[in-house]
Amino acid sequence: SSSEEEIATVEASTGEVTLAGGIGTTTITASFAGTDEYKSATASYTLTVNRAQSTSISPIKSDLAGGATSFNASLTNAVVTRKYSDAVAYLQDGTAGILVTDAADLTEGDSYTGTITGEMTTASNQPKITSIDVSEASKTTGATVEPEVVTIANLISNMTSYDGKLCKIVKAKADATLATGTNKSIIISSGESTMTLFS
């Protein structure tokens, strides 16, 4: 049997283990009930399945949803779209964007092609890279990404798709500014849709 069938399944009659497409760890267990001739017994082992190497940011985020905490990716034109401090930047390729909270070695406008590795987690339902190594990737400078034009309604209803991506909301108005501790928030609206932006 397999404890996590989204990682691997077991054909009970043959013991054949088949990967199910998920990333993570499962326990494979073989059990024998015992007979008059033989004692009962159980044996198990841990099977860890990692993606060999992701080719874009999108599967990195999918692996995180599956429980993985590290990644190994061969990315193409992954651009640092925004950097706010050594602790906050955003990395985006043609498939998705992701928050990076270990951004000391990243510069806004740098683009990376090649092997990138690191650690990741989820905080407040937002995927983020908590440590990143870009030393094996080639870097070019001066890269830009055109923001994807979205409406407030589209952004709210498809937040998972837009998470970490550079987006542009047009024809929205600021309705109110609210002070929240050391941060400020602005409520914007367009038609019937409203959204709070934090800075």
Side-chain angles (χ1 to χ4, degrees):
S1 64
S2 171
S3 63
E4 305 293 337
E5 293 197 337
E6 68 275 10
I7 308 295
T9 59
V10 179
E11 172 56 51
S13 61
T14 65
E16 181 179 358
V17 176
T18 302
L19 299 182
I23 303 300
T25 300
T26 185
T27 301
I28 305 297
T29 303
S31 298
F32 178 66
T35 65
D36 291 341
E37 193 173 349
Y38 299 104
K39 290 173 60 176
S40 63
T42 300
S44 63
Y45 66 92
T46 300
L47 173 66
T48 301
V49 180
N50 294 307
R51 190 180 301 279
Q53 193 169 61
S54 299
T55 56
S56 64
I57 292 174
S58 184
I60 292 173
K61 294 173 80 169
S62 296
D63 290 351
L64 179 57
T69 58
S70 62
F71 69 91
N72 182 333
S74 178
L75 303 181
T76 303
N77 295 327
V79 179
V80 181
T81 57
R82 288 287 184 267
K83 181 174 179 181
Y84 299 98
S85 68
D86 284 349
V88 179
Y90 287 89
L91 188 68
Q92 178 178 330
D93 65 6
T95 66
I98 192 167
L99 172 68
V100 181
T101 60
D102 172 30
D105 295 332
L106 303 179
T107 301
E108 188 172 315
D110 284 352
S111 173
Y112 295 95
T113 297
T115 300
I116 295 175
T117 59
E119 299 296 317
M120 56 189 179
T121 190
T122 301
S124 300
N125 295 320
Q126 183 180 28
K128 66 180 182 177
I129 293 174
T130 55
S131 97
I132 190 168
D133 182 355
V134 294
S135 62
E136 298 297 316
S138 62
K139 178 177 77 172
T140 58
T141 59
T144 59
V145 172
E146 282 297 315
E148 188 167 345
V149 177
V150 297
T151 64
I152 296 174
N154 191 302
L155 190 60
I156 292 170
S157 62
N158 296 288
M159 191 60 76
T160 302
S161 300
Y162 292 120
D163 172 52
K165 290 178 76 173
L166 190 61
C167 297
K168 180 179 182 180
I169 300 171
V170 295
K171 296 185 178 177
K173 67 176 184 172
D175 290 333
T177 301
L178 307 172
T180 55
T182 58
N183 296 322
K184 290 183 178 178
S185 62
I186 301 171
I187 299 173
I188 62 172
S189 66
S190 178
E192 298 294 316
S193 302
T194 62
M195 183 176 202
T196 303
L197 304 180
F198 296 92
S199 64

